[in-house]
Amino acid sequence: MGDPIGGDLQYEQYELSGGYSVNYRRSQFGFELGYRALSEYRTRDPRPGNTTADLHGRLAYGFFIGPNSVLGATLLLGKYKQTNELTFMNELGASREYHLTGIGNDFVRFSGTSNNAFYKGHNLGFTLELLPTDMMRGLSVSLGYNHTMREKILSDLNRLPLNRLDCDVLSAEFVWQQSAYGIGFNARHNIRRGKDNLFGEATGNVYPQIGSRLQYHGSETRIGASGFGELRAGRFIFTLMPSVWWTALRGKHADSGNRFETSDLLYALRFKMRFTISKNMLATDIQLGRRNNLTHKLVLNKTADEGRQSTMSLGDALRRVDEYYSGGETGIRFAASYSRSVWGGKILALRLGYERRGYVADAGNEYSAAVSLRF
């Protein structure tokens, strides 16, 4: 859902995960199970209360095919549910909410009439991997596929299944490295398809589903190469990591003919330094990055709030997105950390970070601090 008001959300997130692995003769077995709980809210209108439950797991098997290589397969499973409840406390009335369907369009029949919804879905995927037994040396190859489904359901209309989004992600990675240097190639292609369901005349509060139509089609492609080189000088370790990427993002809405396309070239240089003495370690991490736009195109034939009075229309928001991509982006990231081995091998660490991103005529600054205890 969306509206012309917008605004930041506050949130609390909790995660729990664990796993187990074992070697048996020439085989390796392992599994991992995790759960994420997220609560999002805001203390001014419109006031969403979003609750997310995300369960995910992995089951893996590996077989030694030689003295230095393991052939492995992993099954990925997940189940997702999100509940959205929207309320207004203003006595003067509520703003119109849109059930967005892509590239500035909405589900006109139900927008503004039902602001409570929930999402349900799942994901299913697998990876095939060839890995060296010594993770610091040799060739690594990974091929993967993952399918994700999300369905949006309107709670107030007898659990009406409004629409559905399917995503298919194909990925491939090739890495060759030695202890002090290496190079890698990575590719990822995400295909997104959005279907809107069609409904007949209502009987009471029940809308019979009479069909569905593919309205939104999008894709995201990312191809890149990266490398690293490491130099050791006494207690110091210096690491240099260059990378370059080509990305393309495309989206199209069938009924309106609205279309958005952009492609970019990204390149970055990262420098890391570590100094170790006794049980103490000091580290710095500096990264410089630049995104140059190669092509961009935005076609808006109509938008959901066309002709309505608002501070910013959906068309304005999409034009800002197009302006952001076409203007390029420059970023710098810096982090410094101190860690110490305590209590029988446990690691106590303190980390401070700063990141600045400049795009169009704006710039954003982010500061972070973290204290962690690693077992």
Side-chain angles (χ1 to χ4, degrees):
M1 285 191 296
D3 56 45
I5 299 176
D8 295 335
L9 292 175
Q10 301 179 55
Y11 73 93
E12 297 177 8
Q13 180 168 287
Y14 303 90
E15 296 184 48
L16 177 66
S17 63
Y20 179 76
S21 64
V22 63
N23 293 340
Y24 179 73
R25 295 181 179 177
R26 296 180 59 83
S27 298
Q28 290 182 323
F29 302 88
F31 74 90
E32 183 181 47
L33 191 65
Y35 179 77
R36 178 175 67 97
L38 173 67
S39 174
E40 297 174 299
Y41 54 93
R42 183 167 54 213
T43 56
R44 63 177 178 83
D45 289 357
R47 304 170 188 244
N50 303 338
T51 304
T52 298
D54 188 7
L55 180 66
H56 53 89
R58 298 191 299 171
L59 183 64
Y61 171 75
F63 182 76
F64 290 89
I65 60 174
N68 301 315
S69 299
V70 178
L71 182 64
T74 303
L75 179 65
L76 310 172
L77 298 167
K79 188 173 180 60
Y80 180 91
K81 183 176 181 181
Q82 178 179 336
T83 302
N84 293 5
E85 296 180 352
L86 192 68
T87 58
F88 291 87
M89 306 297 288
N90 192 338
E91 297 178 354
L92 299 179
S95 64
R96 181 183 178 89
E97 298 294 319
Y98 298 98
H99 293 293
L100 301 176
T101 58
I103 320 295
N105 292 274
D106 75 331
F107 208 118
V108 179
R109 186 174 183 181
F110 299 108
S111 286
T113 61
S114 178
N115 294 332
N116 296 322
F118 72 90
Y119 300 81
K120 65 178 183 178
H122 63 265
N123 70 280
L124 176 65
F126 66 88
T127 61
L128 297 175
E129 297 175 304
L130 177 65
L131 303 172
T133 53
D134 182 358
M135 296 303 294
M136 299 300 296
R137 297 175 182 270
L139 175 67
S140 301
V141 180
S142 176
L143 303 174
Y145 167 78
N146 192 46
H147 172 78
T148 302
M149 185 278 287
R150 297 288 185 265
E151 186 177 25
K152 181 175 182 178
I153 298 171
L154 301 185
S155 308
D156 298 338
L157 299 180
N158 201 34
R159 299 199 170 195
L160 180 142
L162 188 69
N163 47 24
R164 167 177 171 153
L165 178 68
D166 289 272
C167 299
D168 293 291
V169 179
L170 300 170
S171 60
E173 184 178 54
F174 302 86
V175 177
W176 182 82
Q177 68 177 39
Q178 296 297 309
S179 58
Y181 56 90
I183 188 170
F185 300 92
N186 185 286
R188 172 188 168 96
H189 185 57
N190 184 357
I191 303 171
R192 300 162 59 87
R193 302 178 305 280
K195 288 185 178 181
D196 291 347
N197 294 326
L198 306 176
F199 302 92
E201 293 298 324
T203 302
N205 205 32
V206 178
Y207 291 79
Q209 183 177 338
I210 59 176
S212 64
R213 183 180 180 187
L214 180 63
Q215 284 280 40
Y216 172 78
H217 186 277
S219 66
E220 180 184 5
T221 306
R222 182 181 175 97
I223 302 173
S226 59
F228 81 93
E230 187 176 278
L231 174 65
R232 295 175 179 264
R235 298 182 181 274
F236 288 90
I237 300 177
F238 303 95
T239 307
L240 193 64
M241 294 177 286
S243 61
V244 59
W245 298 86
W246 173 81
T247 64
L249 182 65
R250 296 179 176 87
K252 184 178 181 180
H253 188 267
D255 273 357
S256 66
N258 291 357
R259 189 167 75 252
F260 175 75
E261 299 176 2
T262 183
S263 63
D264 299 273
L265 183 66
L266 300 89
Y267 40 93
L269 185 64
R270 187 176 181 182
F271 173 77
K272 298 174 69 176
M273 185 275 293
R274 288 183 293 169
F275 172 73
T276 306
I277 180 171
S278 185
K279 296 182 178 182
N280 304 280
M281 185 178 74
L282 293 172
T284 59
D285 189 346
I286 303 173
Q287 182 172 332
L288 302 174
R290 174 65 189 170
R291 177 180 61 82
N292 285 339
N293 185 251
L294 302 177
T295 61
H296 70 99
K297 187 174 186 179
L298 175 65
V299 178
L300 290 179
N301 297 312
K302 67 175 183 178
T303 58
D305 56 357
E306 190 174 301
R308 295 180 180 272
Q309 295 293 328
S310 60
T311 305
M312 176 180 285
S313 68
L314 290 171
D316 292 334
L318 288 167
R319 281 184 279 270
R320 286 291 299 271
V321 171
D322 181 61
E323 183 184 10
Y324 160 73
Y325 276 104
S326 63
E329 185 175 3
T330 302
I332 180 171
R333 181 185 300 169
F334 174 79
S337 63
Y338 166 76
S339 58
R340 179 179 173 83
S341 178
V342 296
W343 306 319
K346 300 175 181 63
I347 304 297
L348 180 64
L350 171 65
R351 184 180 185 276
L352 301 175
Y354 168 74
E355 181 176 357
R356 179 178 177 85
R357 297 172 59 196
Y359 46 88
V360 193
D362 299 320
N365 298 285
E366 179 178 318
Y367 304 88
S368 62
V371 178
S372 61
L373 179 63
R374 297 192 291 270
F375 292 86

